[in-house]
Amino acid sequence: MDHLGIDSHKLMYHVERVNKWQKGEDIFPIYVEVGLYGACNHRCIFCAFDFLGHKNTSLDDKGLKKFIIQAAKGGVKAILYSGEGEPLLHDRALEIIAFTKRCGIDVALVTNGVLLDKITVRKLLRDLSWLKVSLDAATRNTYSLIHGARKDDFDKVMRNLKEAVRIRNKFRYGCVIGAQALLLPQNLAEMGRLAKLLKEIGVDYLAIKPYCQHALSNKKTYLSPKGINLHSLEKDLERYSDDSFRVILRKNAIGKMERDRPYNKCFGVSFATHITASGDVYPCNAFIGSKEYCYGNICKKDFRDIWLGPRRKRIISKLNRRLSVSKCRVACRLDEINRYLWELRHTVDHVNFI
């Protein structure tokens, strides 16, 4: 059971915001994804942002904090700190995360986990709603191959996860601790073993999802759903799930890999957005680096002015006219939201017969 809604969406919990959108009113995003740092200490074979060159770009903390204050006032509910690179390489990551929480915004972190030492994780867990480690393998050799990292990093990450669980439990922090694996040809046979390892450590869940190629990525790794015996994989994994640990196999996302989308516009960009390590604001991570789709920069201009300003409105209009969603990443983060919003805009007959 996907008790966290990872394989679905949660927009139905924000009815007031959706109603305003339906009426054509200006709304602030509910969720923002922020890339704190451009470079990374790994070279994953699935990296979506390899085309950016892993530059040592660090998001200006003053500009970011100003954005956070404005975002909170505007009604942003959650911020996820993740890529383009490894967010914990930012020298003020812990301070930024704590500041985000103090401003009343729910905050989460996706990391490769190498830098989650005892001191770091103790400070992080006080403020995070959830922490997710990109793991992707159950053995040192496979981990090294997929992450482009030293084999010892696998051992380090597993120790760090175990320590994170210990500290979370000792101090009764509310942070949910999970791990994620992309299904790849190199790791498909290790998913059961990975689930067993993580359950023994005491993390809350393992989420397994399909790999979706970024249009600009130089990577060519791909595993077709046709190459996955989904029923067999599900049966193998379900024995590890219980009340304290869940394996969330994203069957919904996997099933959509080779199906057409029912919508032809991206409505989700009104409810979520992406900010890069240089401070540029984009509709989503698919547009990173395409300056014609950059709304503005939070280090140069107030976020309120960027979000409500004419440039963003022109870009949204352009997306509605010219964007072919068939070229977007399959099963992207906004896909489920778009399916929901599309149905709201294109209702079926006899809606009162519920």
Side-chain angles (χ1 to χ4, degrees):
M1 178 181 175
D2 181 11
H3 64 301
L4 298 173
I6 291 175
D7 202 25
S8 183
H9 74 94
K10 301 165 189 172
L11 205 52
M12 74 287 281
Y13 300 110
H14 301 276
V15 175
E16 183 179 353
R17 196 84 55 109
V18 174
N19 283 338
K20 288 183 178 180
W21 172 81
Q22 279 275 65
K23 295 174 183 177
E25 298 179 22
D26 285 326
I27 59 169
F28 270 72
I30 296 169
Y31 163 86
V32 180
E33 187 169 334
V34 177
L36 279 181
Y37 203 77
C40 190
N41 49 358
H42 283 182
R43 290 293 182 270
C44 299
I45 62 173
F46 56 77
C47 180
F49 302 117
D50 59 310
F51 66 94
L52 296 173
H54 307 290
K55 298 176 182 177
N56 291 317
T57 307
S58 183
L59 186 50
D60 176 67
D61 62 300
K62 292 181 180 179
L64 178 56
K65 287 179 178 178
K66 185 178 180 182
F67 153 74
I68 292 168
I69 293 170
Q70 294 172 348
K73 290 180 179 178
V76 170
K77 300 294 185 183
I79 292 178
L80 169 64
Y81 293 109
S82 57
E84 308 97 75
E86 168 52 47
L88 290 180
L89 286 173
H90 193 293
D91 59 3
R92 296 195 176 181
L94 302 183
E95 177 187 337
I96 289 167
I97 288 169
F99 182 82
T100 306
K101 183 64 175 180
R102 287 200 303 273
C103 287
I105 296 177
D106 293 339
V107 57
L109 175 70
V110 174
T111 171
N112 60 35
V114 174
L115 300 177
L116 284 174
D117 58 67
K118 185 182 297 186
I119 296 174
T120 298
V121 80
R122 170 74 185 274
K123 293 178 179 178
L124 279 173
L125 295 179
R126 293 178 303 188
D127 301 306
L128 292 176
S129 294
W130 54 267
L131 166 69
K132 184 161 61 181
V133 172
S134 179
L135 201 49
D136 307 296
T139 62
R140 302 170 85 243
N141 287 341
T142 304
Y143 181 87
S144 178
L145 174 65
I146 292 176
H147 275 246
R150 298 179 305 173
K151 294 179 182 179
D152 288 348
D153 277 0
F154 177 77
D155 303 320
K156 183 182 294 185
V157 172
M158 298 304 280
R159 288 195 302 270
N160 289 347
L161 272 171
K162 187 174 183 179
E163 181 65 12
V165 170
R166 187 191 71 80
I167 291 174
R168 189 271 307 271
N169 293 347
K170 177 179 179 181
F171 294 97
R172 299 183 180 180
Y173 294 135
C175 179
V176 174
I177 301 173
Q180 176 175 284
L182 291 177
L183 275 180
L184 303 168
Q186 295 86 349
N187 68 10
L188 182 59
E190 295 188 6
M191 291 299 99
R193 183 173 179 177
L194 179 58
K196 183 175 184 293
L197 286 173
L198 292 171
K199 182 174 183 176
E200 290 171 352
I201 286 174
V203 303
D204 299 302
Y205 70 90
L206 166 63
I208 302 172
K209 70 176 188 175
Y211 168 73
C212 303
Q213 179 85 19
H214 191 290
L216 299 178
S217 175
N218 298 314
K219 305 298 184 183
K220 302 301 180 186
T221 297
Y222 182 72
L223 178 61
S224 167
K226 293 179 180 179
I228 303 173
N229 186 330
L230 196 58
H231 177 72
S232 176
L233 180 60
E234 185 178 17
K235 291 294 289 183
D236 181 47
L237 293 172
E238 67 182 12
R239 56 193 168 125
Y240 298 105
S241 291
D242 55 29
D243 291 340
S244 61
F245 176 76
R246 303 286 178 87
V247 180
I248 303 169
L249 178 61
R250 295 190 56 183
K251 296 181 293 182
N252 188 28
I254 294 171
K256 291 184 293 188
M257 291 291 287
E258 295 187 351
R259 293 203 306 261
D260 292 334
R261 295 172 172 87
Y263 55 89
N264 60 27
K265 292 182 181 179
C266 183
F267 294 139
V269 291
S270 293
F271 296 88
T273 197
H274 189 104
I275 299 176
T276 70
S278 60
D280 288 335
V281 186
Y282 288 97
C284 72
N285 63 31
F287 294 96
I288 292 177
S290 300
K291 291 298 183 181
E292 66 174 310
Y293 292 103
C294 177
Y295 297 153
N297 188 291
I298 61 169
C299 300
K300 300 176 182 178
K301 194 173 183 179
D302 287 351
F303 180 69
R304 181 179 181 83
D305 293 337
I306 292 172
W307 193 257
L308 301 179
R311 178 173 173 82
R312 177 180 168 272
K313 291 179 180 180
R314 287 197 301 271
I315 291 173
I316 294 297
S317 178
K318 184 191 297 186
L319 289 175
N320 287 335
R321 293 192 319 268
R322 293 169 46 186
L323 174 67
S324 174
V325 295
S326 63
K327 296 180 181 179
C328 290
R329 296 178 76 179
V330 178
C332 75
R333 190 183 297 276
L334 297 180
D335 179 74
E336 282 294 317
I337 291 174
N338 278 319
R339 291 169 185 265
Y340 174 70
L341 295 174
W342 185 260
E343 188 170 352
L344 285 179
R345 284 279 174 91
H346 302 81
T347 55
V348 298
D349 294 335
H350 309 147
V351 295
N352 293 331
F353 291 88
I354 59 174

